[in-house]
Amino acid sequence: MKANVFLGKNQIEVQDVPKPRAGVGEAVIRVTLTTICGTDLHILRGEYPVAQGLVIGHEPVGVIEELGEGVVGYDIGDRVLVGAITPCGQCSACWSGHSSQCGHGGGFEALGGWRFGNTINGAQAEFLKVPYAQANLAKIPNELSDEQVVLLADIASTGFSGAESAGIKIGDSVVVFAQGPIGLCATAGAKLLGASLIIGVDGDQNRLAMSKRMGADIVLDYRDVDVVAEVKKITGGGADVTIEALGTQQTFEYALRCLRPAGTLSSLGVYSGKLQIPYEAFAAGLGDHKIVTTLCPGGKERMRRLMEVVRHGRVDLRPLLTHTFSLDSIGDAYDLFGERMDGVLKVAIKP
Ligand SMILES: NC(=O)c1ccc[n+]([C@@H]2O[C@H](COP(=O)([O-])OP(=O)(O)OC[C@H]3O[C@@H](n4cnc5c(N)ncnc54)[C@H](O)[C@@H]3O)[C@@H](O)[C@H]2O)c1
Ligand SMILES: [Zn+2]
Ligand SMILES: [Zn+2]
């Protein structure tokens, strides 16, 4: 089969590799649609280490090709969505409700639930082996297209979780820092949860326009305005919730400075190097602030719920899929996505 293989820093290539077979408890799907994540760019640039020779990608939609022993309730040919995170559904982390932290050390080492394109072969391929298939194959309702569900595997699950982890309540004011794909989904999530005022912050006019489409009431260009002063003015002193969706010192700090005492900062970005908490904005540790972090939730029940949100018209993510490529030309898709050219938000890859 054809697959996009990581060969080393700044080197990926579509190669012929052996087609996977389903072992006990596993399934193989024929991938019909996938995409590229910002995290894949970190991998390509050598900023997040994975093994040479690994097939990358973690956002699969497909059709069941083979079912391993012990996987019940599915048929060959079923259309399925599989989350980027594939919890086992059995370990102590999973049973404690922290299934994204499944795996390594039974939940005592972070990130274990992220397997595709990280510790096992991923979704930018013609076929994909799904581990713990019983816990991870989510059947797609007939009326939903691949394009309607593909972004639920990662960015929508992540973005919505940023809003959910913050415990947004009806009437809350919310600021979302960065309106990339993740931040846009956090904006949509805040809207779904009943925020009364949503402020989207970015420096890209296309993305600020999309922010409004996804639910922001006000958008701020961080290059033009003093975001902290502006948010304090609009909210009368600070927001109930701020969501960080970039992963930099600056946006984390702004998120804290824009927060009212006892507010919640929900962090989604992946940081590199040191992250510091500014002492005054943190009220010397006495501000009753909450800081929460979330790794994308996965598993079939999460995917089922997200598909219901789409099926009942609560959210439409198709506008975020701005370009389409074949698997053979995935290198061009990486260039476009990596350089953020031509107004790209997410690319659809059709194996
Ligand atoms: N927590 C998780 O499970 C999870 C999952 C997937 C991705 N991520 C992380 O989420 C982050 C965002 O991903 P993405 O794909 O949306 O990113 P992206 O790179 O596509 O978008 C980033 C956006 O930030 C904007 N920006 C840059 N500087 C800014 C500033 N100072 N203030 C406001 N906006 C600014 C850019 O204009 C751009 O629109 C990344 O760190 C990614 O690794 C986390
Ligand atoms: Zn991702
Ligand atoms: Zn587990």
Side-chain angles (χ1 to χ4, degrees):
M1 68 161 187
K2 283 186 288 188
N4 186 34
V5 179
F6 173 75
L7 298 173
K9 190 173 172 179
N10 296 321
Q11 266 183 286
I12 48 170
E13 192 177 85
V14 176
Q15 295 188 339
D16 271 316
V17 303
K19 182 181 166 187
R21 297 298 313 267
V24 176
E26 298 172 338
V28 170
I29 65 171
R30 177 171 57 80
V31 179
T32 52
L33 192 66
T34 186
T35 175
I36 303 174
C37 177
T39 307
D40 297 324
L41 296 176
H42 291 303
I43 292 172
L44 175 60
R45 292 168 184 158
E47 295 157 4
Y48 182 92
V50 301
Q52 275 182 20
L54 190 78
V55 177
I56 57 178
H58 51 259
E59 301 164 273
V61 178
V63 173
I64 296 177
E65 171 87 1
E66 188 187 355
L67 288 165
E69 212 179 301
V71 185
V72 296
Y74 299 93
D75 291 311
I76 306 299
D78 282 349
R79 292 175 64 226
V80 289
L81 168 67
V82 185
I85 305 294
T86 47
C88 74
Q90 299 295 323
C91 73
S92 56
C94 284
W95 279 96
S96 313
H98 303 291
S99 60
S100 298
Q101 309 300 339
C102 162
H104 321 320
F108 293 95
E109 265 178 59
L111 276 178
W114 174 31
R115 298 182 166 94
F116 287 141
N118 180 26
T119 56
I120 62 173
N121 280 338
Q124 289 163 11
E126 289 181 291
F127 296 93
L128 171 71
K129 181 161 82 177
V130 180
Y132 312 111
Q134 196 68 45
N136 287 293
L137 298 173
K139 290 184 199 172
I140 302 173
N142 282 337
E143 61 264 48
L144 294 182
S145 66
D146 290 2
E147 284 76 9
Q148 280 174 290
V149 301
V150 67
L151 299 183
L152 302 175
D154 184 358
I155 66 156
S157 187
T158 302
F160 291 0
S161 78
E164 292 170 284
S165 298
I168 289 177
K169 295 195 295 292
I170 290 173
D172 274 348
S173 54
V174 179
V175 189
V176 186
F177 286 90
Q179 294 292 287
I182 300 281
L184 288 167
C185 289
T187 297
K191 176 95 176 173
L192 284 167
L193 290 170
S196 57
L197 173 70
I198 304 170
I199 303 172
V201 184
D202 204 286
D204 176 317
Q205 287 308 317
N206 263 326
R207 291 175 177 214
L208 289 174
M210 189 58 79
S211 174
K212 286 210 154 170
R213 198 159 161 190
M214 300 303 282
D217 302 282
I218 298 173
V219 293
L220 299 177
D221 186 330
Y222 72 92
R223 297 166 312 172
D224 296 344
V225 297
D226 177 344
V227 174
V228 178
E230 199 62 26
V231 167
K232 288 198 168 166
K233 196 169 86 192
I234 298 168
T235 57
D240 297 307
V241 168
T242 57
I243 300 176
E244 199 289 340
L246 182 60
T248 65
Q249 176 69 35
Q250 191 195 36
T251 42
F252 181 87
E253 217 173 298
Y254 276 20
L256 188 60
R257 292 185 190 282
C258 285
L259 202 58
R260 67 162 167 81
T264 302
L265 188 168
S266 176
S267 171
L268 291 173
V270 175
Y271 303 89
S272 48
K274 200 168 177 177
L275 180 65
Q276 285 174 322
I277 295 186
Y279 164 88
E280 7 56 84
F282 198 47
L286 302 175
D288 287 339
H289 298 109
K290 281 190 278 299
I291 297 177
V292 296
T293 66
T294 318
L295 172 61
C296 173
K300 67 181 178 186
E301 173 60 7
R302 174 71 172 176
M303 292 303 120
R304 184 194 70 78
R305 284 173 173 270
L306 296 181
M307 286 192 282
E308 286 300 278
V309 174
V310 172
R311 191 160 77 93
H312 295 291
R314 295 291 191 274
V315 83
D316 182 6
L317 301 167
R318 282 171 298 185
L320 303 188
L321 277 179
T322 51
H323 297 73
T324 302
F325 290 85
S326 65
L327 181 60
D328 284 321
S329 51
I330 197 167
D332 298 334
Y334 267 87
D335 290 342
L336 178 96
F337 183 67
E339 299 302 320
R340 271 198 242 139
M341 291 183 288
D342 197 26
V344 66
L345 278 165
K346 288 288 276 188
V347 293
I349 307 291
K350 292 195 168 170

